[in-house]
Amino acid sequence: MNEENIDGTNGCSKVRTGTQNEAALLALMEKTGYNMVQENGQRKFGGPPPGWEGPPPPRGCEVFVGKIPRDMYEDELVPVFERAGKIYEFRLMMEFSGENRGYAFVMYTTKEEAQLAIRILNNYEIRPGKFIGVCVSLDNCRLFIGAIPKEKKKEEILDEMKKVTEGVVDVIVYPSATDKTKNRGFAFVEYESHRAAAMARRKLIPGTFQLWGHTIQVDWADPEKEVDEETMQRVKVLYVRNLMISTTEETIKAEFNKFKPGAVERVKKLRDYAFVHFFNREDAVAAMSVMNGKCIDGASIEVTLAKPVNKENTWRQHLNGQISPNSENLIVFANKEESHPKTLGKPPTLPARLNGQHSPSPPEIERCTYPFFPGTKLTPISMYSLKSNHFNSAVMHLDYYCNKNNWAPPEYYLYSTTSQDGKVLLVYKIVIPAIANGSQSYFMPDKLCTTLEDAKELAAQFTLLHLGPY
């Protein structure tokens, strides 16, 4: 391995001297037998490891690592990640300066090792006061295409996308909630590989590309949340989509009770989708196979098991590095039918507790109450004397973050728009006065909310994600 490969375009002397860096990495290679090479802004360790025979590990064996200190390299990182299992390949993203870019991808030889890495290394204190985030890494093969003429059918959209991009496998189009003969103005295009999707996005993203005379909007589709099999085995709630707006909860309950009277506990309908709760999981699974594709009030419905989402920890997981490495500036969709258009046909979220079961992600601080006995001594303190994991709200975290950096408090500016169905949608813009004259003068999330509290929390989450490690 030559000096160029080791030093990261000969720039590592700004962090460690080239000789120190080279010696440390050569020692790691000699000890492990792995090769290392730098190419296209990343340094690859292994892939495959010594003595490996056969194809690479399957999908689901790779984890994404975020919030890595910029002056930390493979000689420190690899031994940490080897604790979870055998590494097939470690890819550290590199800057031209020789520093790393703050994130890496670690592929293990099995899915079990990858899951173990997430369990034991997510939020791991890699250096004093520096915590890394580890989550599953998925190659996104799906693009979101917005501003599609609503009269276009799936076949027309599929043919057109095949003409203008390569590697198209399928197109997913959903009917309008109010008119089932029309689409919702967007589609999801599935490609044969992440590379094919990335090349298509690069071609379409400038914003000048047109389909049928319309300028389209293009971005990565939001990746679907992974839920472990053990948790899914406990789910007894069905997610039903493509319902008519006029269909009532009573009608849905009656239809799903037909195959076994009394099996449905309750139904919660939101616009054109619903959650059907069953008393027993076995009945839910049976009803899914019976009801999927059935017609209710003239609409052909789609039925799947609902995926539990721990709303309480979702933003905290993002802060721990669980963001798509491909995510860039996202498109704000105002006045659209769908409040979450980039999410593939999924409801916004499920409750944090589903079927009496918690999400497998544990909270960092136990949230409960204790009795307050008379005579208990209380000591006045400042919130800033606490640790950051005492705050469950992103708004509080952001205030804490600014105080820790000796900045003035964040400034919130509220904006609104109206959806096509008449709902008032809200979004906050956040200005951090201390950095307002820098490269980014303000922060605004890519989604609109129906409540003030949600809008403020989402804006704070978004800002924290972009401010980086703290």
Side-chain angles (χ1 to χ4, degrees):
M1 177 179 171
N2 61 35
E3 186 174 346
E4 181 180 358
N5 285 336
I6 296 175
D7 283 352
T9 61
N10 297 321
C12 285
S13 58
K14 296 181 181 179
V15 183
R16 296 191 289 203
T17 67
T19 303
Q20 289 174 322
N21 198 44
E22 180 178 355
L25 296 180
L26 284 174
L28 175 67
M29 293 166 60
E30 185 175 346
K31 177 183 176 182
T32 61
Y34 282 64
N35 292 321
M36 189 182 296
V37 63
Q38 180 158 330
E39 56 185 22
N40 300 326
Q42 65 179 350
R43 199 153 59 195
K44 294 172 63 176
F45 173 82
W52 180 269
E53 294 182 3
R59 187 179 172 92
C61 294
E62 187 175 74
V63 298
F64 171 70
V65 186
K67 300 176 71 175
I68 299 172
R70 297 300 181 99
D71 59 347
M72 182 173 277
Y73 303 100
E74 292 87 349
D75 56 299
E76 290 183 79
L77 293 166
V78 167
V80 171
F81 284 89
E82 281 181 331
R83 298 175 192 176
K86 185 176 178 62
I87 294 174
Y88 175 84
E89 179 182 78
F90 188 104
R91 293 186 291 128
L92 183 63
M93 303 300 116
M94 301 297 294
E95 299 279 14
F96 182 78
S97 66
E99 289 187 326
N100 75 65
R101 295 170 63 186
Y103 67 94
F105 297 89
V106 186
M107 182 179 289
Y108 289 93
T109 57
T110 67
K111 292 182 181 180
E112 291 73 22
E113 292 170 329
Q115 289 299 320
L116 178 61
I118 294 170
R119 286 200 301 273
I120 67 175
L121 296 175
N122 185 37
N123 229 18
Y124 175 77
E125 191 171 12
I126 196 121
R127 280 185 181 168
K130 301 292 184 181
F131 298 84
I132 57 172
V134 183
C135 68
V136 67
S137 169
L138 295 176
D139 285 340
N140 199 344
C141 300
R142 185 173 288 155
L143 293 182
F144 166 83
I145 310 293
I148 289 176
K150 293 188 176 182
E151 68 276 6
K152 296 299 179 182
K153 305 298 182 186
K154 173 177 177 174
E155 294 73 21
E156 296 177 273
I157 300 171
L158 179 62
D159 289 343
E160 194 69 16
M161 293 308 300
K162 284 184 174 180
K163 289 178 185 176
V164 298
T165 60
E166 297 181 2
V168 176
V169 174
D170 192 19
V171 167
I172 301 161
V173 184
Y174 293 118
S176 167
T178 53
D179 185 350
K180 299 299 182 184
T181 65
K182 296 182 179 179
N183 70 63
R184 299 192 180 189
F186 62 87
F188 297 93
V189 184
E190 185 81 20
Y191 288 86
E192 62 186 12
S193 66
H194 173 71
R195 176 175 174 79
M199 295 300 290
R201 180 176 178 271
R202 183 179 299 177
K203 180 178 180 180
L204 302 174
I205 201 64
T208 58
F209 201 89
Q210 294 192 338
L211 292 180
W212 304 289
H214 291 252
T215 300
I216 59 171
Q217 297 162 327
V218 182
D219 209 333
W220 292 104
D222 287 345
E224 192 167 357
K225 292 285 188 297
E226 288 289 311
V227 180
D228 66 277
E229 190 173 343
E230 182 182 351
T231 300
M232 289 304 298
Q233 288 296 323
R234 298 193 295 263
V235 173
K236 52 184 180 181
V237 181
L238 297 182
Y239 169 52
V240 184
R241 66 172 316 278
N242 199 32
L243 291 160
M244 299 293 288
I245 294 289
S246 58
T247 299
T248 64
E249 291 179 352
E250 291 72 22
T251 298
I252 299 168
K253 186 172 183 178
E255 289 290 332
F256 277 81
N257 264 330
K258 280 183 178 178
F259 88 102
K260 185 178 180 181
V264 177
E265 178 185 5
R266 68 183 187 277
V267 174
K268 178 62 177 176
K269 181 173 184 279
L270 300 95
R271 198 163 166 77
D272 64 339
Y273 63 89
F275 296 108
V276 182
H277 297 249
F278 286 78
F279 289 104
N280 299 307
R281 173 179 166 78
E282 294 74 18
D283 293 338
V285 174
M288 178 174 63
S289 61
V290 171
M291 296 299 295
N292 188 37
K294 293 285 187 181
C295 279
I296 297 181
D297 291 343
S300 179
I301 62 172
E302 296 177 18
V303 185
T304 59
L305 283 172
K307 290 190 175 183
V309 175
N310 189 330
K311 294 170 70 176
E312 174 183 303
N313 287 316
T314 296
W315 78 271
R316 191 181 290 129
Q317 290 165 0
H318 281 305
L319 290 180
N320 287 338
Q322 297 195 25
I323 53 175
S324 167
N326 302 309
S327 64
E328 297 175 8
N329 293 327
L330 305 179
I331 304 167
V332 177
F333 289 86
N335 297 314
K336 293 292 179 186
E337 281 188 9
E338 304 304 309
S339 58
H340 300 268
K342 286 176 60 187
T343 304
L344 179 59
K346 301 196 291 281
T349 49
L350 277 174
R353 279 182 68 89
L354 181 62
N355 306 322
Q357 302 292 339
H358 282 291
S359 163
S361 301
E364 294 175 11
I365 291 289
E366 183 183 13
R367 300 182 69 206
C368 55
T369 58
Y370 291 82
F372 180 36
F373 297 111
T376 301
K377 184 180 179 181
L378 297 176
T379 304
I381 65 168
S382 164
M383 63 172 275
Y384 303 114
S385 67
L386 299 171
K387 293 183 178 179
S388 63
N389 60 0
H390 283 90
F391 307 123
N392 188 55
S393 157
V395 173
M396 296 297 289
H397 264 279
L398 182 57
D399 193 64
Y400 178 89
Y401 182 101
C402 291
N403 181 271
K404 185 177 178 180
N405 286 283
N406 296 314
W407 296 346
E411 297 174 358
Y412 292 82
Y413 298 90
L414 183 63
Y415 298 87
S416 73
T417 187
T418 305
S419 66
Q420 285 186 345
D421 57 356
K423 290 181 181 177
V424 175
L425 303 178
L426 305 169
V427 65
Y428 270 102
K429 177 176 78 175
I430 295 181
V431 174
I432 309 293
I435 60 173
N437 295 324
S439 58
Q440 181 149 10
S441 59
Y442 68 89
F443 302 88
M444 184 180 287
D446 66 309
K447 288 184 172 63
L448 299 152
C449 299
T450 55
T451 70
L452 199 63
E453 294 84 358
D454 286 349
K456 194 167 188 178
E457 185 74 2
L458 186 63
Q461 292 174 19
F462 182 84
T463 304
L464 284 164
L465 282 171
H466 286 74
L467 287 175
Y470 65 101

